Amino acid sequence: MLIIHTTTPTKKEAKNLIKILLESRLIACGQYFKIKSHYVWKDSKGKRKLCKDKEYLLILKTLPECYEKIQSLIHSHHSYEVPEILSFEAKAENAYNAWLVENLSL
């Protein structure tokens, strides 16, 4: 099992990404949560500055073989110049893993 995290600036974008990924059968489940992010980013003059924003964290549940397609889809539908796309391998109990496989287009 693979867990993927990404963030979006709006609830609408979070819901849209999850919908596209579910309809493409690349994820079996997607969740989103409102969060506050603090990070370093360069301004238009190239100067590094501290930033803080309200964002939505997406948690996407899938299998490793879907990662490349998910990454590509996120890049093509995301509003950020550099979207966060982090993946974590996870172990699920057998029944949950069977449900996951059943709901993906493998």
Side-chain angles (χ1 to χ4, degrees), residues 12-76:
K12 181 179 180 180
E13 188 171 324
K15 291 169 75 173
N16 186 52
L17 272 174
I18 288 173
K19 181 179 180 205
I20 291 167
L21 291 164
L22 283 168
E23 288 175 347
S24 300
R25 295 194 61 187
L26 292 172
I27 64 169
C29 178
Q31 301 162 313
Y32 64 90
F33 305 90
K34 191 172 188 177
I35 62 170
K36 292 180 183 176
S37 294
H38 299 255
Y39 57 96
V40 176
W41 195 252
K42 291 182 182 179
D43 64 17
S44 60
K45 297 176 185 173
K47 184 178 176 184
R48 296 169 58 94
K49 65 177 189 169
L50 296 178
C51 302
K52 59 182 176 178
D53 286 303
K54 292 178 182 174
E55 293 185 298
Y56 289 83
L57 170 66
L58 283 68
I59 300 174
L60 311 170
K61 298 169 188 173
T62 190
L63 294 172
E65 49 268 37
C66 297
Y67 178 81
E68 297 296 326
K69 289 180 181 177
I70 292 169
Q71 181 185 36
S72 177
L73 199 145
I74 289 172
H75 277 288
S76 64

